[in-house]
Amino acid sequence: KVLAITNNNSTSGGGGGIYISNQSSPYLRGVSIYLNSTTSDGGGIYSTGSNPTLTDVKINNNSASSGGGVYLSDSSNISIMNVSISGNTAGQGGGIYSTGSNPTLTDVKVNNNSANQDGGGLMLSSSSPKLTNVDILENSSGFIGGGMYLEQTNNNTSNSVPIFDNVIIKSNSAVWGGGGILITGPGGDTLSNFQIIGNYSPNGGGMYFWGGITNTISNVSILDNTATTGGGIYLQSGLSTFNNVTI
């Protein structure tokens, strides 16, 4: 029997569905987390300084200020396997908002989430997740980073550097820039092994590099994206290097 966590609300502390803290390591399997809300962060799940494991879980139609589906902070290195994160809404990070954490996602679908501002599917700040067999589909943002917003800093030790293995970022949209992905900051790292297909934004339909980016992009396909300016890629300064990239 599937456990359902639904129609709950957190007024200010975060974690509309579940709040996890203080080095907790719960194991959730076969759980549906849906229609929960908070005026703070983590509509479905809020995890801080903890290492939960999610398997065969659905996180759908939750809402929050940040992290409509999942909010991670302070080294919350969550493991997410065979999970659907769909239909969640937030100001930032419609599906997932991760700050200072390194989650692992395997066989995960992040689809049809929305953010009023940044990162319709995922927003990553000083976070370096590992994504394997992940589909980021049909997410939207009201400003930048329809599929993913990748926020890098001046300190390379805290950059957001996701590790991709068979990741598809497809049919996402952003109102201003970076339909598939928008990357900010100086970078200095390598991003590889992903596909960006059929995304839309007026500026940088597939990818938007903002603020002196110096990343290396390798083994990437950027196909069938649409924009007013920069259908595949929009480079706003910087010295990025592209190796084995199909545009």
Side-chain angles (χ1 to χ4, degrees):
K1 185 176 180 180
V2 174
L3 171 66
I5 300 172
T6 184
N7 287 302
N8 301 287
N9 175 260
S10 170
T11 56
S12 61
I18 304 175
Y19 185 97
I20 305 168
S21 67
N22 198 28
Q23 298 182 354
S24 299
S25 300
Y27 177 67
L28 281 68
R29 182 170 185 173
V31 179
S32 290
I33 303 167
Y34 63 99
L35 294 175
N36 302 287
S37 63
T38 178
T39 55
S40 184
D41 304 322
I45 297 174
Y46 183 113
S47 178
T48 179
S50 298
N51 300 299
T53 298
L54 279 60
T55 303
D56 301 324
V57 171
K58 295 180 179 179
I59 304 171
N60 300 335
N61 301 311
N62 303 283
S63 62
S65 176
S66 297
V70 179
Y71 182 92
L72 307 172
S73 68
D74 297 327
S75 299
S76 242
N77 300 326
I78 191 171
S79 177
I80 303 176
M81 295 172 287
N82 194 27
V83 169
S84 168
I85 301 172
S86 177
N88 303 286
T89 60
Q92 296 181 306
I96 298 174
Y97 185 109
S98 178
T99 176
S101 300
N102 300 317
T104 299
L105 282 67
T106 306
D107 298 323
V108 172
K109 292 186 183 299
V110 181
N111 65 291
N112 290 294
N113 303 284
S114 63
N116 294 334
Q117 301 174 49
D118 312 326
L122 300 92
M123 178 168 176
L124 307 175
S125 177
S126 299
S127 297
S128 297
K130 182 177 180 180
L131 280 63
T132 303
N133 300 329
V134 173
D135 294 337
I136 302 170
L137 311 174
E138 298 181 343
N139 303 283
S140 63
S141 73
F143 185 41
I144 56 178
M148 181 185 297
Y149 174 41
L150 195 59
E151 184 178 56
Q152 299 185 319
T153 69
N154 289 314
N155 179 358
N156 280 348
T157 63
S158 61
N159 272 355
S160 292
V161 188
I163 299 172
F164 294 137
D165 183 6
N166 190 30
V167 173
I168 297 175
I169 301 169
K170 183 177 180 180
S171 300
N172 303 282
S173 63
V175 169
W176 189 83
I181 301 179
L182 187 139
I183 306 174
T184 65
D189 302 289
T190 298
L191 303 173
S192 59
N193 303 318
F194 58 98
Q195 300 178 62
I196 300 180
I197 303 171
N199 303 282
Y200 168 77
S201 183
N203 302 290
M207 303 182 73
Y208 192 111
F209 294 82
W210 191 355
I213 294 292
T214 58
N215 285 3
T216 297
I217 308 299
S218 64
N219 301 321
V220 173
S221 295
I222 303 171
L223 309 171
D224 299 323
N225 302 283
T226 305
T228 303
T229 306
I233 300 172
Y234 189 122
L235 293 168
Q236 187 201 49
S237 74
L239 297 170
S240 290
T241 301
F242 296 85
N243 296 321
N244 195 26
V245 174
T246 301
I247 303 175

